[in-house]
Amino acid sequence: MVNLNWRPFTFKEMAFFESVVEDSPDWQTVELNGKALSNFIGEWQSIGEWRIWDIEGELAGITFHIETAPSNGKPWLGTMLVKNSMRGKGAAHSMIHSLSQELKDKGSSVLFTGIPIAQNTWAEFLSRCGFEQFKIETSEEGTYLILIRPL
């Protein structure tokens, strides 16, 4: 495990957020879908928490999660972006582990996430981080693979 810290995201760190988005073209296409990043952040800010993570003082990634989703009352991981130079070094796994432990300590038994069904690399990554396939949902926006991480 790495020495990991987090703090609430502020717009002072927008340049870092923009840089990890640049290194994540699939996320940019799927999630932003032409929207300005600041508008996207603002849309979600009122229902969940954006966090910026660092490892030993070096910015490592950004997450967004909801502790009590309107859809099922459970915690959901909505976004995880990791700095390119930190990928493959345990940063993402550590962020998910830390968030999962925090939610478990608050009484949650599972963490949900959803991804477009066609995003195979996202599914593989999340599986390596302890998520398991739960179900497939179809909506107006598309077909999504819903995953859970038992806590």
Side-chain angles (χ1 to χ4, degrees), residues 8-146:
F9 170 80
T10 66
F11 282 93
K12 291 185 289 186
E13 290 130 344
M14 190 63 157
F16 175 70
F17 203 149
E18 289 169 344
S19 74
V20 293
V21 168
E22 274 184 39
D23 290 337
S24 306
D26 285 348
W27 185 88
Q28 188 174 9
T29 300
V30 170
E31 295 296 331
L32 291 183
N33 196 20
K35 295 179 195 167
L37 181 57
S38 59
N39 291 344
F40 179 81
I41 294 167
E43 286 176 18
W44 291 100
Q45 201 162 18
S46 65
I47 63 167
E49 182 178 20
W50 289 101
R51 290 183 176 181
I52 190 155
W53 299 80
D54 72 75
I55 296 174
E56 297 178 6
E58 182 180 351
L59 295 179
I62 294 173
T63 59
F64 174 80
H65 74 281
I66 300 170
E67 285 196 26
T68 308
S71 60
N72 66 357
K74 304 287 183 190
W76 280 75
L77 176 64
T79 293
M80 168 163 268
L81 294 167
V82 176
K83 182 178 175 179
N84 212 16
S85 65
M86 295 280 189
R87 293 179 185 173
K89 298 179 180 177
H93 187 269
S94 294
M95 287 183 241
I96 289 173
H97 177 78
S98 178
L99 180 59
S100 295
Q101 187 61 52
E102 179 185 330
L103 294 167
K104 182 179 179 179
D105 291 348
K106 291 180 178 181
S108 296
S109 60
V110 67
L111 174 62
F112 282 79
T113 195
I115 60 171
I117 193 91
Q119 290 295 336
N120 294 330
T121 56
W122 294 5
E124 291 170 12
F125 160 74
L126 291 164
S127 292
R128 288 191 306 272
C129 292
F131 282 88
E132 304 168 1
Q133 182 174 338
F134 179 62
K135 66 180 179 175
I136 295 173
E137 284 187 359
T138 302
S139 69
E140 293 174 5
E141 293 84 28
T143 302
Y144 293 87
L145 176 62
I146 308 301

